[in-house]
Amino acid sequence: MKKTMMQIHLDLQKSKTQVRELEDIAVQIRRDETRLEECMRNLHTAWEGESADGYRVSIQHINERLHEISGRIRMISAAAEMQAKKTWEADQEAVKQAINEV
C-alpha cells in the first residue's frame, strides 16, 4: 500500500507525540528522584538509629532504580525519534519516486 503525503505527515506527528510522551515520563521520574532525595535528607535529620539507616538504604536503592529507569526511557525515546526520522525520510523518497514514475 502506498502512503499519501497526508498519511506520512500524520505518522510523523504520531511518532513525535509518542516521543514527547516518553520524554515527559522521564522528566517526571527525574522530578520524583529529586523529591525522594529531599525526603531522605529530611529523614536523616529527623530520625537516627539502625532502623533509620536501613530505611535510608532502601530509599537509596529505589532512587537508583528510578534513575536507571529514567535513563532507559530517554534512550528509548531517542531511538524512537531516530527511527521516526528514518521512516519519514524513506516515505518521502518513495513518494518522490512515485511522482517521477507518473
Side-chain angles (χ1 to χ4, degrees):
M1 180 180 107
K2 293 183 179 180
K3 289 185 175 182
T4 66
M5 290 297 285
M6 179 58 80
Q7 288 169 320
I8 293 169
H9 177 73
L10 291 175
D11 287 349
L12 179 63
Q13 293 309 311
K14 182 178 178 182
S15 295
K16 285 182 175 182
T17 298
Q18 291 169 338
V19 166
R20 275 193 305 273
E21 288 173 357
L22 284 172
E23 290 171 351
D24 289 346
I25 290 168
V27 166
Q28 184 59 48
I29 290 172
R30 294 285 168 121
R31 285 185 190 134
D32 290 344
E33 277 182 73
T34 301
R35 279 184 245 161
L36 193 54
E37 288 170 359
E38 184 179 332
C39 286
M40 278 184 17
R41 284 190 300 274
N42 292 338
L43 182 64
H44 182 70
T45 60
W47 185 20
E48 295 180 9
E50 216 173 288
S51 295
D53 292 341
Y55 194 75
R56 280 191 291 272
V57 168
S58 294
I59 291 174
Q60 184 60 37
H61 287 304
I62 292 168
N63 207 32
E64 288 168 2
R65 183 73 176 134
L66 286 173
H67 186 75
E68 178 186 322
I69 290 168
S70 175
R72 289 174 61 198
I73 290 172
R74 287 183 183 275
M75 287 174 42
I76 291 167
S77 174
E81 185 174 29
M82 188 181 339
Q83 186 59 46
K85 183 179 181 204
K86 287 179 181 179
T87 300
W88 180 80
E89 289 170 351
D91 287 345
Q92 289 289 354
E93 185 59 32
V95 167
K96 287 178 187 175
Q97 289 177 1
I99 290 171
N100 289 336
E101 290 175 4
V102 174

